[in-house]
Structure formats: structure tokens, C-alpha cells
């Protein structure tokens, strides 16, 4: 009886020991799998999530490309201006309106050579009273506009070139003027016109004289300034 109890106790102890070993081994395996999972997650985060330095490098690269593109556009624009400026003119004129409300005024604008002996400009420059409400009132009251003078100044010459109207746009602010034939005007190079309309977002370079003679003399010989400063 006593021996039988001891035997039973041994068997229970052995079973309990095996269970402890299995449980410990399972915990060890689970812990090892957990560590491996954490390591895998870390590796994935390292390879698939950009670091702060990587994001900064991407931004710097993008900004560098944008700066390079702006520099390229600026160099192209500067070259285009240098190539075209000799064919762009500052236009100056004087006109008056006779009648009960007579007055005299000046007009200034910009034009460019589009063909031998021809200059393109705005209609409100070639016909200064075009679109002027005050002049329109005077005309309705019997007044008459008279263009006294219309000349063009080019950077390459201190002398003005007389202009004559060739055509005025019926719908639109555009005019075509004829240049006085001189030795100088015969050397002027017409600027090439685009055969297709410009696209939205396309880069555009504008060359004009918004400051009048001040803008022209900035890059012109001193004799040009002397001539223009003496202009009536």
C-alpha cells in the first residue's frame, strides 16, 4: 500500500516536470518569435519609411532642379532681349482735338519691326484718341482729332524716324506703321513672329519702354540722351 502511494507520487511528479519544461519551452519560443517580429518590423520601417535626412535630400534635390530651370529660363530671356532690343522702338507723338473743348496731348508707346519698313504697335498709340472717353465726348460735339507728330526712336540711332499709319485693327488694339526710309531703318532686322498661338503657362519675355526715354537711355549712347533731353 505504501509502495503504491510512492509510485503514484513519482508519476505525478514526472508529469508535472514535463509540463513545466514544455510550458517553459513554449514561452521561450513565443518570446523568440516576438523578438524576431520586432526586428522584422524595424527592418521594414528602416527600408520603407524615409528618414528625416532622406526627406531633406529629396527637397534639396527638387529645389536644385527648380533653381537650375529658373537660371536656364533667365539666360534664354536675357539672350532673347539682347537679340531683339535693337528692333524695338520707343514711339512718341503729339496730337490735339479742335472744337469747343479743344486740348493738346502727348502719347508714348512701344513698337517693334515686323517686316522691312513696317512697325507693329497698339492702336491707341498710332491713334491716341482711340478708346479715350474725353475725346469721344469732344468728337460728339463736333471736335476733330489731329495727329501732329508721330516718331520712333531706336537704341541704335540718336535721330527720330517719322512714322505713317498703314492699317488699324477694326476689332482690337493693334496697328501697323510705316517707317521713314533712311540708311538706318534699312538696317533694322525684323523680329520673327510665332506661327502658333502661345500656350497657357508658357514663358514670356516682355521688352518695352514703360519708363519712356528714361528706359531707353539706360543702355544707349550719350548722344541719344542728349537728343531726347532736347526733345520738345
Amino acid at each position: 500500500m505504501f509502495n503504491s502511494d510512492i509510485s503514484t507520487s513519482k508519476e505525478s511528479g514526472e508529469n508535472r516536470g514535463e509540463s513545466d519544461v514544455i510550458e517553459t519551452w513554449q514561452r521561450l519560443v513565443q518570446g523568440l518569435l516576438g523578438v524576431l517580429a520586432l526586428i522584422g518590423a524595424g527592418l521594414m520601417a528602416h527600408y520603407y519609411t524615409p528618414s528625416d535626412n532622406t526627406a531633406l535630400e529629396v527637397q534639396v534635390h527638387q529645389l536644385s532642379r527648380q533653381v537650375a530651370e529658373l537660371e536656364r529660363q533667365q539666360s534664354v530671356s536675357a539672350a532673347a532681349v539682347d537679340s531683339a532690343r535693337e528692333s524695338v522702338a520707343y514711339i512718341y507723338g503729339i496730337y490735339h482735338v479742335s472744337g469747343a473743348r479743344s486740348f493738346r496731348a502727348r502719347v508714348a508707346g512701344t513698337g517693334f519691326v515686323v517686316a522691312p519698313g513696317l512697325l507693329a504697335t497698339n492702336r491707341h498709340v498710332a491713334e491716341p484718341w482711340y478708346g479715350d472717353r474725353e475725346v469721344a465726348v469732344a468728337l460728339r460735339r463736333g471736335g476733330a482729332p489731329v495727329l501732329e507728330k508721330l516718331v520712333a526712336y531706336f537704341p541704335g540711332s540718336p535721330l527720330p524716324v517719322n512714322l505713317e499709319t498703314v492699317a488699324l485693327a477694326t476689332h482690337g488694339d493693334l496697328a501697323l506703321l510705316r517707317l521713314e526710309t533712311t540708311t538706318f531703318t534699312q538696317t533694322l532686322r525684323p523680329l520673327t513672329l510665332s506661327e502658333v498661338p502661345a500656350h497657357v503657362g508658357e514663358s514670356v519675355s516682355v521688352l518695352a519702354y514703360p519708363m519712356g526715354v528714361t528706359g531707353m537711355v539706360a543702355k544707349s549712347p550719350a548722344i541719344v540722351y542728349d537728343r531726347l533731353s532736347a526733345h520738345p
Side-chain angles (χ1 to χ4, degrees), residues 47-130:
Y47 286 106
Y48 293 99
T49 303
S51 63
D52 292 339
N53 291 336
T54 302
L56 182 60
E57 290 176 358
V58 171
Q59 293 179 359
V60 170
H61 181 65
Q62 291 176 345
L63 290 175
S64 299
R65 287 193 305 174
Q66 293 175 359
V67 170
E69 178 63 19
L70 289 175
E71 290 177 346
R72 185 191 68 80
Q73 293 179 0
Q74 184 177 6
S75 63
V76 171
S77 297
V81 170
D82 289 339
S83 175
R85 66 183 300 270
E86 297 299 325
S87 299
V88 179
Y90 167 69
I91 299 175
Y92 174 86
I94 300 175
Y95 74 100
H96 72 266
V97 176
S98 60
R101 297 184 61 182
S102 62
F103 60 89
R104 194 165 183 259
R106 298 181 181 183
V107 63
T110 303
F112 62 98
V113 181
V114 292
L118 294 178
L119 193 73
T121 187
N122 295 111
R123 179 175 176 178
H124 72 263
V125 175
E127 190 180 70
W129 51 89
Y130 173 73

Side-chain angles (χ1 to χ4, degrees), residues 101-187:
R101 297 184 61 182
S102 62
F103 60 89
R104 194 165 183 259
R106 298 181 181 183
V107 63
T110 303
F112 62 98
V113 181
V114 292
L118 294 178
L119 193 73
T121 187
N122 295 111
R123 179 175 176 178
H124 72 263
V125 175
E127 190 180 70
W129 51 89
Y130 173 73
D132 191 313
R133 295 182 178 180
E134 184 179 356
V135 175
V137 172
L139 296 180
R140 286 197 297 267
R141 295 181 178 180
V146 178
L147 185 60
E148 300 179 12
K149 184 176 189 177
L150 193 64
V151 297
Y153 285 93
F154 288 89
S157 174
L159 301 176
V161 177
N162 293 320
L163 301 173
E164 178 184 352
T165 301
V166 175
L168 300 172
T170 304
H171 304 286
D173 193 10
L174 181 64
L176 194 62
L177 306 176
R178 178 176 288 109
L179 294 164
E180 175 187 3
T181 302
T182 65
T183 303
F184 171 73
T185 59
Q186 290 178 340
T187 65

